[in-house]
Amino acid sequence: MFDSASIIIAGSTGLIGHHLLNLSLKNESVDRVYSLSRRPLDETSSKLVQMVSDDLSIDKQQIEESAPEIGFIALGTTIKKAGSKAALKAIDTDLVISVAQSMREVGVKHIYVVSCIGASSSAFSHYLKCKGEMEDSVSLLGFSSVTFMQPGPLSGDRSETRKDEVLLQGIMSAINPIMKGFLLNYKPIEGEIVAQCMLDLALSTHQVSGVHRYTSKAMFERKT
């Protein structure tokens, strides 16, 4: 594990990103946390440097001597919230790629991005296609390592309620006892589990180069 790590998080007000922020602030191996958000965070810590802007841009003047080598991106929306397929793509694909590029420019070497199970640039689903196109582009940005977290349905407290996820969670809870093997990829997973897995992987002493993907099954198995 790193003796001291400097990290940067985009999307720290969302479900996974907020858990990631809190876990990072509590972790003794993390000595600096840069956050990119559209609104100020309630959290206060001597470790935390907040960068607030509408486009989640990085203010290089705020980057101190401990420039971040590890980057986390937990950004995403829904068509219902975004208002259109184009608006969803602007966030889930274009914004993520832009933020990743900015992280690379300030020295980030290892990046961890929240995607989803089934992401593919050739997917029929617009949502999965956007995630897949994002993965393809971020993979080519020149990071030492890129890790995509591909959870299935997310569970946990959100700042907003998504009726489709609530319905799916109700259905899935009834069949959880038989969710084994590959089916674990579709079992509801807590946002905190995803965040903890991301942080654990990032702080590992052995950073493996290349592109990696972690599904819910891998996250559940890593937790046990």
Side-chain angles (χ1 to χ4, degrees):
M1 183 172 288
F2 281 96
D3 291 330
S4 60
S6 178
I7 70 174
I8 185 166
I9 303 172
S12 49
T13 59
L15 176 63
I16 294 174
H18 193 245
H19 281 301
L20 187 55
L21 174 69
N22 288 329
L23 289 168
S24 299
L25 292 177
K26 294 175 184 176
N27 194 298
E28 294 182 356
S29 295
V30 178
D31 62 2
R32 176 69 70 227
V33 178
Y34 297 97
S35 70
L36 306 180
S37 60
R38 293 189 178 91
R39 63 178 186 272
L41 305 176
D42 293 332
E43 286 76 11
T44 56
S45 169
S46 59
K47 293 183 179 183
L48 181 61
V49 177
Q50 296 193 41
M51 299 183 186
V52 182
S53 65
D54 290 336
D55 60 356
L56 302 184
S57 59
I58 297 175
D59 183 352
K60 295 180 181 179
Q61 293 184 341
Q62 286 188 270
I63 298 292
E64 301 173 358
E65 292 182 0
S66 54
E69 290 192 359
I70 298 170
F72 299 100
I73 301 180
L75 299 170
T77 187
T78 63
I79 288 181
K80 181 178 180 180
K81 183 177 179 181
S84 68
K85 288 184 176 181
L88 183 142
K89 185 177 187 297
I91 295 174
D92 282 46
T93 304
D94 301 337
L95 180 60
V96 173
I97 295 170
S98 176
V99 170
Q101 288 175 324
S102 297
M103 288 185 177
R104 183 73 183 88
E105 291 170 3
V106 296
V108 169
K109 297 179 180 179
H110 309 282
I111 194 167
Y112 298 78
V113 185
V114 177
S115 183
C116 68
I117 188 73
S120 171
S121 57
S122 60
F124 178 76
S125 160
H126 179 72
Y127 178 75
L128 296 179
K129 183 178 179 67
C130 287
K131 291 293 190 184
E133 291 177 350
M134 175 275 291
E135 289 192 8
D136 291 347
S137 295
V138 173
S139 298
L140 299 176
L141 292 179
F143 292 98
S144 297
S145 70
V146 180
T147 302
F148 296 110
M149 311 304 291
Q150 296 186 326
L154 293 171
S155 61
D157 294 332
R158 285 187 185 275
S159 58
E160 61 174 315
T161 300
R162 298 183 180 179
K163 293 182 180 179
D164 54 345
E165 285 191 354
V166 172
L167 177 60
L168 181 58
Q169 289 169 22
I171 295 172
M172 298 302 286
S173 64
I175 61 174
N176 266 349
I178 63 171
M179 300 294 282
K180 298 178 181 179
F182 180 76
L183 290 177
L184 281 174
N185 287 325
Y186 301 94
K187 179 179 179 179
I189 186 168
E190 292 282 344
E192 186 172 6
I193 294 177
V194 180
Q196 186 67 68
C197 185
M198 292 174 77
L199 188 61
D200 289 347
L201 289 170
L203 297 180
S204 170
T205 54
H206 186 51
Q207 291 279 3
V208 182
S209 61
V211 178
H212 314 278
R213 290 175 174 82
Y214 272 77
T215 62
S216 289
K217 180 176 182 293
M219 289 181 248
F220 279 126
E221 291 174 348
R222 187 179 180 88
K223 180 176 179 290
T224 58

